[in-house]
Amino acid sequence: MRVDYLIVGAGFAGCTLAERLATQLGKTVLVVERRDHIGGNAYDYYNEDGILVQKYGPHIFHTDSEAVWKYLSRFTRWNGYVHRVLAVVRGKEVYLPINLDTMERLYDRSFTPEELERFFERHRVRVDEIRNSRDVVVSQVGEELYELFFKNYTKKQWGLYPEELAPEVTKRLPVRFNRDTRYFTDRFQGIPSDGFTRMFERMLDNSNINPVLLNTDYRDIVDSVRFDKLVYTGPIDYYFDYKYGRLPYRSLDFKFVTLDKERHQNAGVVNYPNEHDYTRVTEFKHFYMQKHPKTTICYEYPTAEGDPYYPIPKPEFEEIYLKYKREADKLGSVYFIGRLAQYKYLNMDQVVAGALELFEELS
Ligand code: FAD
Ligand code: UDP
């Protein structure tokens, strides 16, 4: 077989590039995917009870980029879901990120925004320079809230305490002085009306794109396909045969349970910072607004072994990554893009933005 582009991985990065190259430039494309489905970590499907679930944990699309939103909106409508997350602390359910409502429920008193600012001013720890994920939190809200919400959750999620992780991890959660209980404040957010997988199917529905080769590692076919350029969205260390050592990725075990009731919990995601071995519980019917007499929930148990889900933001791993990146930059017609290939804790919209940028370069 001969194609213009061989694309490794059928997630957001791979599908965006396949679609753009095929539609806009008329290039022929072959996508090869190790798993038995397209969509990467955003893959969703109807389980045996007919409930739409996400195989790799809660995925909510959100972006401030109008360009990214408009691009994906060619392939899907959105269901208007607004994500809210509850955390169970001291036996109470409170909203995250920390906001006025969270503080009132937690401390059983009312706060004005000014009172809350004064409260944090009294409790926050003065830090000269934000060096890690602990500094980010204690410098804003102080030790007590850090311990309640962040310390143990992070240890469970990453196997590391926040002081061992780069600031970008806990910087994902702001602190709010208003009553905005949404998890994300991006201008555009939601879940594809017919699910993520259907959106990916539409992206790949193009006569220049060959049927995706599923259940196939690219190495098994790379010598039997002729191509001009390679787009690689898998782990960068694997591409280079781990020559500079393995990059660690945090993994998760997902445990799905279907319950004989319509509704299980009060939000799409409920976090358990201080109890249980799991970090959070997702109930998918909140996301998809599906009507069904049963409901499926998913527990997330973080692990060191397993599929690579999270690059670990830590300076010493960034150094290893940069060694690989220098090798990658020397290769003429191989392009590394996406969360695994760039070893970066990227959200879906950032991956799409990166893929659209790479497409411009290739045009
Ligand atoms: P992936 O989706 O990982 O796709 C890469 C694909 O390449 C995979 O399907 C893989 O099987 C394939 N592959 C790898 N190596 C090979 C090989 N050698 N040969 C063939 N195929 C190969 N982002 C958000 O914006 N919002 C969220 O709510 C959100 N929640 C998340 C929750 C969890 C639990 C996780 C793990 C991530 C979450 N993300 C979220 C991040 C989101 O999953 C990623 O940004 C996005 O999936 C990255 O797309 P990608 O194409 O770079 O990688
Ligand atoms: N975090 C935490 N407690 C929480 C929620 C988040 O300590 O209840 C920290 C934790 O380190 C987590 C990070 O903030 O990994 C980012 O949270 P986010 O919800 O963005 O994680 P993701 O959905 O990417 O797993």
Side-chain angles (χ1 to χ4, degrees), residues 130-158:
I130 305 289
R131 290 197 179 81
N132 57 53
S133 264
R134 181 182 194 279
D135 292 345
V136 171
V137 181
V138 297
S139 66
Q140 293 183 89
V141 298
E143 301 274 359
E144 185 179 35
L145 292 168
Y146 165 75
E147 303 255 338
L148 273 181
F149 289 99
F150 290 92
K151 184 178 165 188
N152 299 325
Y153 185 102
T154 301
K155 180 69 169 70
K156 262 198 279 186
Q157 168 70 11
W158 299 94

Side-chain angles (χ1 to χ4, degrees), residues 34-314:
R34 194 151 53 179
R35 291 169 168 163
D36 63 2
H37 58 75
I38 60 168
N41 287 341
Y43 172 68
D44 52 15
Y45 67 102
Y46 286 90
N47 67 13
E48 59 279 13
D49 287 293
I51 299 168
L52 187 50
V53 300
Q54 301 180 332
K55 184 164 183 177
Y56 305 100
H59 280 74
I60 300 93
F61 192 84
H62 58 101
T63 189
D64 261 331
S65 161
E66 191 164 1
V68 167
W69 182 256
K70 275 194 172 157
Y71 171 68
L72 291 177
S73 300
R74 295 181 197 177
F75 312 102
T76 187
R77 288 174 293 109
W78 303 89
N79 72 0
Y81 172 72
V82 175
H83 192 40
R84 286 193 167 76
V85 174
L86 287 165
V88 177
V89 290
R90 291 187 180 151
K92 296 180 181 178
E93 286 189 336
V94 299
Y95 282 110
L96 275 181
I98 294 173
N99 63 77
L100 263 179
D101 182 88
T102 316
M103 295 297 286
E104 293 190 340
R105 288 195 198 196
L106 196 62
Y107 290 100
D108 260 330
R109 55 158 284 198
S110 64
F111 282 96
T112 63
E114 297 71 32
E115 283 169 341
L116 188 58
E117 276 186 47
R118 280 202 295 277
F119 180 95
F120 287 146
E121 197 49 41
R122 275 203 308 282
H123 289 85
R124 72 184 193 88
V125 177
R126 268 79 188 150
V127 180
D128 291 339
E129 191 194 336
I130 305 289
R131 290 197 179 81
N132 57 53
S133 264
R134 181 182 194 279
D135 292 345
V136 171
V137 181
V138 297
S139 66
Q140 293 183 89
V141 298
E143 301 274 359
E144 185 179 35
L145 292 168
Y146 165 75
E147 303 255 338
L148 273 181
F149 289 99
F150 290 92
K151 184 178 165 188
N152 299 325
Y153 185 102
T154 301
K155 180 69 169 70
K156 262 198 279 186
Q157 168 70 11
W158 299 94
L160 299 167
Y161 284 109
E163 54 259 48
E164 300 170 273
L165 286 163
E168 66 184 271
V169 176
T170 52
K171 258 196 192 158
R172 291 167 64 88
L173 276 78
V175 176
R176 302 202 186 115
F177 296 93
N178 55 26
R179 286 177 203 284
D180 190 345
T181 54
R182 294 173 301 167
Y183 203 59
F184 306 116
T185 49
D186 303 48
R187 278 191 294 162
F188 310 102
Q189 49 185 298
I191 301 275
S193 295
D194 307 315
F196 282 100
T197 304
R198 189 73 198 94
M199 178 186 78
F200 290 117
E201 283 168 359
R202 292 192 194 110
M203 292 172 84
L204 297 176
D205 182 13
N206 185 306
S207 57
N208 287 329
I209 303 176
N210 288 278
V212 177
L213 272 188
L214 295 174
N215 302 303
T216 312
D217 191 304
Y218 85 101
R219 286 190 177 173
D220 298 339
I221 53 104
V222 72
D223 293 329
S224 54
V225 177
R226 289 196 298 136
F227 56 89
D228 291 339
K229 295 183 176 173
L230 179 74
V231 173
Y232 181 81
T233 77
I236 191 167
D237 54 345
Y238 176 77
Y239 184 90
F240 291 106
D241 257 334
Y242 308 113
K243 66 193 273 194
Y244 298 119
R246 275 180 188 264
L247 282 166
Y249 298 86
R250 194 70 175 157
S251 193
L252 296 167
D253 279 338
F254 301 100
K255 186 178 161 221
F256 292 85
V257 180
T258 297
L259 304 167
D260 216 351
K261 57 180 174 183
E262 275 195 50
R263 177 94 346 153
H264 172 67
Q265 62 188 27
N266 294 324
V269 170
V270 179
N271 290 3
Y272 294 88
N274 305 309
E275 292 106 31
H276 311 298
D277 290 338
Y278 50 84
T279 47
R280 58 186 176 187
V281 180
T282 298
E283 183 175 24
F284 299 101
K285 279 171 74 183
H286 289 263
F287 297 175
Y288 293 103
M289 302 166 188
Q290 191 183 353
K291 298 260 180 287
H292 197 290
K294 295 185 183 182
T295 191
T296 301
I297 59 173
C298 172
Y299 297 87
E300 280 172 65
Y301 295 88
T303 67
E305 303 300 323
D307 268 12
Y309 294 133
Y310 292 85
I312 304 182
K314 210 173 174 252

Side-chain angles (χ1 to χ4, degrees), residues 308-357:
Y309 294 133
Y310 292 85
I312 304 182
K314 210 173 174 252
E316 66 200 76
F317 305 145
E318 175 69 11
E319 270 171 40
I320 304 176
Y321 163 70
L322 288 174
K323 287 187 188 167
Y324 285 118
K325 181 166 185 329
R326 278 192 284 274
E327 291 288 317
D329 289 343
K330 284 187 221 155
L331 300 173
S333 47
V334 187
Y335 304 90
F336 294 78
I337 180 86
R339 179 142 146 157
L340 301 170
Q342 295 174 267
Y343 198 68
K344 244 202 173 78
Y345 192 175
L346 297 172
N347 291 328
M348 297 184 275
D349 65 320
Q350 295 170 304
V351 170
V352 174
L356 293 176
E357 234 168 76

